[in-house]
Amino acid sequence: MSKSVIVSDLHIGDMSDADDFYTSGNFEKFIAFLEYIEKDEEIGKIIIAGDLFELWQCKVEKILQMYVDLWKVLLKLKETGKKIIYIPGNHDSLPFAKLVYKAAPFPFGPIQLTDKYDIDEKRKLIFPYYREGNLWVEHGHRFDIYNRDVSTLAGGSKGVIGYFIAKTIGIIEKMGAKDIDEQLENLMDGVKDVWRSLKNKFSSPFYKVAGNLQSYVTPASKDYKGNYKEYDEKGSITLGEKLIEKGYEKAFVVLGHTHKPKIEKVTENIVYANSGSWVGKTPTFCVFDDEKKILSLYEWDNSKSILLDKKE
């Protein structure tokens, strides 16, 4: 079992209108995906690279209650001998992170919390990651100046602009505007009919401010103004060099956070991939073959995996 599957950004919520994982129709797709993994004898582990849960908009106890069927499938997967490794991201930064990482990471159900992490002592920030050989996996929000401060040793997140926007949008979605995030993006493209339809429900000043903030501070937004260099280049090179310093000739770095699937060779010795997300129309994921040292990017469509690209 030399292969590891890497997924990220499921944002599993409470099956309300604020739960993009459920409303996008990807819940059923993910169940089929897990069943596919169960049958593949070459796959030894699943690595969840952050934002498994949507804790900025939903309560964890409600999430666990609503997705009992998903936990059953994960338990069955573990019984086959496959490992499930979980790396918290910014939207699911655990409120008890201080206790967990100062004591000992623990399993909950079939999922094992990663026991690897970097600590920024000066700013009291914690960044969980998973490393095995020359593969490094983490969420990637440490390279996002607007969202990195959620990973505090105290488990706080309310001082982050991204948290405020996500929290506000989640409340509005639960009030009936379940596609508010998409509407905000369209608004930035000048879709005036959407603007007029929303005008009667909510005040226009909020939409203008929130739309601009979301497009600027959220890498997952279609209207994000950045060029992703802080992730594709700075992030992958920073982490890749950590592996090369340990004596590896080549490094493979997989991040999430941006929701933009991608794979490329950023330097002669560093291969970078972004595993994408499971809240859009087409879910994506990565596969790392430790034996052949190949990192691949796939999409999941009609209960089958479709290879998009691979790098050695």
Side-chain angles (χ1 to χ4, degrees), residues 145-261:
I145 63 173
Y146 295 99
N147 286 285
R148 65 188 178 195
D149 289 347
V150 300
S151 298
T152 65
L153 283 170
S157 61
K158 294 186 179 179
V160 181
I161 293 176
Y163 173 88
F164 169 75
I165 295 301
K167 187 78 173 179
T168 304
I169 289 172
I171 292 172
I172 294 175
E173 285 178 325
K174 290 183 178 182
M175 290 171 63
K178 64 181 180 180
D179 57 347
I180 179 62
D181 45 357
E182 295 179 7
Q183 291 172 346
L184 285 173
E185 291 174 358
N186 291 335
L187 200 153
M188 295 299 293
D189 289 331
V191 183
K192 294 182 180 180
D193 57 334
V194 174
W195 168 252
R196 285 193 295 268
S197 69
L198 292 169
K199 211 172 176 184
N200 295 328
K201 288 186 177 181
F202 307 102
S203 63
S204 59
F206 168 79
Y207 269 80
K208 186 174 181 180
V209 173
N212 279 285
L213 277 175
Q214 188 194 39
S215 113
Y216 184 60
V217 306
T218 308
S221 169
K222 294 177 183 177
D223 298 304
Y224 175 63
K225 303 302 182 184
N227 57 12
Y228 297 105
K229 284 189 176 181
E230 61 268 44
Y231 305 99
D232 300 347
E233 294 184 13
K234 179 183 176 182
S236 56
I237 292 174
T238 297
L239 301 178
E241 287 178 345
K242 287 177 178 284
L243 292 173
I244 292 173
E245 288 172 1
K246 293 181 180 295
Y248 294 100
E249 293 184 4
K250 181 170 287 186
F252 296 88
V253 178
V254 183
L255 304 178
H257 190 56
T258 69
H259 293 205
K260 301 294 188 291

Side-chain angles (χ1 to χ4, degrees), residues 84-97:
I84 305 171
I85 309 295
Y86 171 37
I87 309 160
N90 56 315
H91 279 248
D92 57 2
S93 183
L94 302 177
F96 43 90

Side-chain angles (χ1 to χ4, degrees), residues 94-103 126 152-155:
L94 302 177
F96 43 90
K98 182 177 180 180
L99 170 64
V100 171
Y101 285 105
K102 283 196 172 183
I126 185 169
T152 65
L153 283 170

